[in-house]
Amino acid sequence: MFSLNSIAAFVDAWLNSTFSPATALAFQFIIIGLLAISLFAVLGLVLVLMERKVSAYMQIRLGPNRVGPKGSLQTVADTLKLVSKEGLTPAGADKFLFNLAPFIVMIAAMMLLAPIAFARDFQLWDINIGVLYITSVSSMAVIGILIAGWSSNNKYSLLGAMRSGAQIVSYELSAGLSVITIVLLAGSLSISEIIHSQADGWWIFKGHIPALISFVIFIIAVTAETNRAPFDLAEAESELTAGFHTEYSGMKFALFFLAEYINIFIVCAIGSILFLGGWMPFHIGNWAAFNHIMDYIPSSLWFFGKTFFLIFVIMWFRWTFPRLRIDQLLNLEWKYLLPIGMINLLLAAAVAIGGWHF
Amino acid sequence: MTLTVFYLLSALSVFSGLMVVLSRKAVHSVLYLVFCFFTIAGHYLMLNAQFLAAVHVIVYAGAIMVLFLFVIMMLNLNLAAEAQKTPWIKISAVILSGLMLLVLVASVKGAEELSAAQPQNDIGLVKNIGNILFDKYLLPFELISLLLLSAMVGAVLMGRKEPQPQNE
């Protein structure tokens, strides 16, 4: 049966039998790097196309339909256009920081891939504080955004970066609280243990009300954290031209654009791991036959299916809700989501101590 | 191998620490400070304290430094607008930092036996840190949380809008 784990084990065995352990490790690092970069490229192409097609469908349009069959090569053409453009650096900009910022944002997004389990036993680094690692690395991206906004030496960029920073720092709290709710229920910080604790049912089903509430808070908070509409004040085009990346062009702009979509993928992957069981197949109680059929679907398909479902939900938000004002946005976080999240955490603690989940 | 990494990390943290003081632009100083915090998180990782490393990055590099950046970017400090300092301020700053150095040296001096000890394998696990915090150091922990709470209340009080006098 198709399984990413067996392929990885085969490659590992072959490398170790052919080369010395140190060389094999070096080759594995190179392979992982190449795989991560190609995953990013493919995800960027697929997600941008998906966004355009979903938005077209919701607005009863056709969407891109000229390049390739049904417009499927449109994003490839767009990328080629961006690559061939000149990457300008404004004269008044802080040159080093201006050129550094896109890379910080991309590196933060890349480092987030490490603890994510893409399939059964297919994980780069099973660190014992996986969830905290994700929170800490994702807080790096905001520094990149702030640097981009400040070093552009442009008032729109600075304002966009400020808004983005305020938004990310405040919504990180809610996202963190809802993640902690699941950590409480699962009793572990490690990603693989959280997934294994969902073998008999995903947390969103067996965690009762606390898990449901924290799922809703998580989705809202990560939509805000990735600067997506209805929380895309940081790049509100009618007010700030393009926010913190106003001055960027060519490939440097493309890196920001790519990082935005990669971040959407990663937060949705984390959401599916925490609440929807990651690569765990869907099981219903003791329906042995049904469960057996579900087990036949490869675990990587389960993971990507759940992740893309969550991505679809977030895209759905974008084309459904109007943009919030900055005061409404901060009110929503500090006066509603954060108190609800804290009370919910207490509820979850009661459920976890009482053992009331299934 | 471990020793090489240690020396590399230490050199980086000392270098970035110096650059915090020596850079001319305030924003560069803050960014060097962020980098310094990352290297210190690397030291935590080498001592097998992954939890502390992650929390260090979340709290310092992720939250506090972002607020620093915020304030400094808002003020838009540059060379021309640097405040003129009187000699008295400079002298008192030197005395204060000298006293701080004294305290730091005194605290590091007693830590010789710590450097020789091998890091235990499980010292950085969340469970052990939780047990120590909520058992041995429960009182200081609660006092610190009270202190933070009062600071937060004070900040909210200061940031609150004054009630407007009602005029007809």
Side-chain angles (χ1 to χ4, degrees):
Chain A
M1 201 167 74
F2 168 75
S3 141
L4 290 176
N5 183 31
S6 57
I7 298 173
F10 170 74
V11 171
D12 180 54
W14 184 78
L15 278 176
N16 270 316
S17 63
T18 322
F19 303 103
S20 66
T23 330
L25 195 66
F27 271 115
Q28 282 170 1
F29 278 141
I30 294 171
I31 291 173
I32 286 166
L34 288 178
L35 280 181
I37 291 171
S38 47
L39 176 74
F40 273 31
V42 170
L43 272 179
L45 296 179
V46 169
L47 288 179
V48 175
L49 187 72
M50 179 175 161
E51 169 109 82
R52 295 182 68 174
K53 281 291 185 189
V54 167
S55 70
Y57 176 72
M58 290 193 180
Q59 298 169 343
I60 326 181
R61 298 185 279 118
L62 284 175
N65 63 351
R66 285 286 179 269
V67 190
K70 301 226 170 199
S72 57
L73 295 177
Q74 179 66 46
T75 45
V76 178
D78 287 346
T79 315
L80 285 177
K81 184 198 77 174
L82 280 172
V83 171
S84 64
K85 273 191 165 182
E86 185 187 358
L88 290 170
T89 307
D94 189 320
K95 301 228 166 27
F96 177 67
L97 289 183
F98 184 82
N99 290 313
L100 183 71
F103 293 101
I104 293 181
V105 175
M106 272 313 274
I107 288 171
M110 273 198 172
M111 280 171 72
L112 283 175
L113 281 184
I116 287 175
F118 290 96
R120 189 186 297 274
D121 301 327
F122 188 71
Q123 195 177 7
L124 216 52
W125 188 26
D126 186 14
I127 183 174
N128 61 5
I129 47 155
V131 175
L132 274 178
Y133 172 86
I134 289 170
T135 322
S136 69
V137 172
S138 65
S139 65
M140 259 175 74
V142 62
I143 294 175
I145 289 176
L146 282 176
I147 291 176
W150 181 79
S151 63
S152 303
N153 205 0
N154 173 328
K155 59 187 171 199
Y156 295 126
S157 302
L158 187 62
L159 278 175
M162 290 291 167
R163 284 185 178 185
S164 174
Q167 185 175 324
I168 293 177
V169 169
S170 11
Y171 277 84
E172 224 166 46
L173 294 172
S174 281
L177 276 181
S178 52
V179 166
I180 288 175
T181 313
I182 295 304
V183 170
L184 252 180
L185 291 170
S188 171
L189 284 168
S190 131
I191 295 278
S192 65
E193 277 179 45
I194 288 177
I195 294 175
H196 279 290
S197 72
Q198 307 182 63
D200 52 344
W202 307 344
W203 278 119
I204 194 165
F205 297 130
K206 64 175 187 172
H208 297 308
I209 295 168
L212 265 179
I213 296 176
S214 65
F215 180 67
V216 172
I217 292 178
F218 182 82
I219 289 290
I220 296 175
V222 297
T223 314
E225 259 195 76
T226 48
N227 282 330
R228 297 271 307 176
F231 305 104
D232 65 340
L233 286 152
E235 42 205 270
E237 55 269 35
S238 49
E239 305 160 26
L240 296 177
T241 50
F244 61 88
H245 54 62
T246 306
E247 296 286 354
Y248 284 87
S249 60
M251 245 356 244
K252 286 181 231 161
F253 164 73
L255 282 182
F256 277 117
F257 198 58
L258 185 60
E260 183 188 330
Y261 281 94
I262 300 298
N263 279 328
I264 293 166
F265 172 79
I266 285 169
V267 295
C268 289
I270 294 162
S272 73
I273 284 170
L274 292 178
F275 297 97
L276 303 178
W279 45 259
M280 278 289 171
F282 181 63
H283 282 177
I284 296 181
N286 41 16
W287 294 12
F290 178 79
N291 294 348
H292 212 65
I293 294 171
M294 287 292 151
D295 283 340
Y296 267 103
I297 302 176
S299 53
S300 50
L301 275 190
W302 275 110
F303 172 76
F304 280 103
K306 289 168 191 173
T307 307
F308 272 85
F309 170 72
L310 286 184
I311 293 173
F312 172 73
V313 170
I314 283 185
M315 287 181 176
W316 192 359
F317 284 169
R318 173 163 180 177
W319 302 105
T320 310
F321 298 118
R323 182 182 297 142
L324 273 74
R325 270 201 330 263
I326 185 80
D327 58 322
Q328 293 170 331
L329 178 119
L330 292 177
N331 272 351
L332 173 70
E333 161 65 15
W334 293 100
K335 293 190 182 163
Y336 298 98
L337 291 187
L338 197 59
I340 293 174
M342 283 179 174
I343 293 166
N344 187 44
L345 188 62
L346 290 180
L347 258 178
V351 169
I353 291 169
W356 294 327
H357 56 78
F358 301 116
Chain B
M1 175 69 191
T2 324
L3 211 61
T4 325
V5 175
F6 172 76
Y7 280 126
L8 194 72
L9 268 178
S10 311
L12 277 177
S13 31
V14 170
F15 167 74
S16 51
L18 280 177
M19 287 309 283
V20 173
V21 191
L22 297 177
S23 338
R24 310 237 43 172
K25 284 186 182 167
V27 172
H28 288 189
S29 293
V30 176
L31 292 175
Y32 275 116
L33 195 52
V34 173
F35 189 67
C36 188
F37 282 144
F38 276 112
T39 55
I40 289 172
H43 282 296
Y44 278 129
L45 276 183
M46 290 190 57
L47 292 171
N48 228 336
Q50 290 103 333
F51 176 71
L52 281 184
V55 170
H56 183 78
V57 170
I58 293 173
V59 174
Y60 286 98
I64 293 183
M65 280 302 115
V66 168
L67 292 182
F68 266 54
L69 271 180
F70 244 76
V71 174
I72 286 171
M73 285 178 180
M74 280 287 189
L75 293 176
N76 204 9
L77 293 172
N78 47 37
L79 294 178
E82 200 174 345
Q84 294 294 315
K85 297 184 185 83
T86 59
W88 284 114
I89 293 181
K90 285 180 185 169
I91 291 171
S92 48
V94 166
I95 292 174
L96 267 181
S97 348
L99 287 176
M100 185 71 201
L101 184 72
L102 210 67
V103 173
L104 284 179
V105 168
S107 65
V108 171
K109 203 171 156 275
E112 273 162 42
E113 50 194 307
L114 239 171
S115 62
Q118 284 295 316
Q120 285 131 344
N121 261 344
D122 51 352
I123 192 140
L125 292 185
V126 187
K127 197 177 166 189
N128 300 332
I129 289 181
N131 276 339
I132 288 177
L133 268 188
F134 285 101
D135 189 22
K136 199 171 164 193
Y137 297 109
L138 180 64
L139 190 66
F141 183 75
E142 296 291 336
L143 283 179
I144 286 175
S145 60
L146 269 182
L147 191 70
L148 284 176
L149 185 69
S150 61
M152 203 163 80
V153 170
V156 169
L157 201 68
M158 283 204 276
R160 198 179 55 136
K161 272 189 201 141
E162 287 295 322
Q164 294 289 322
Q166 295 288 318
N167 31 348
E168 281 119 277

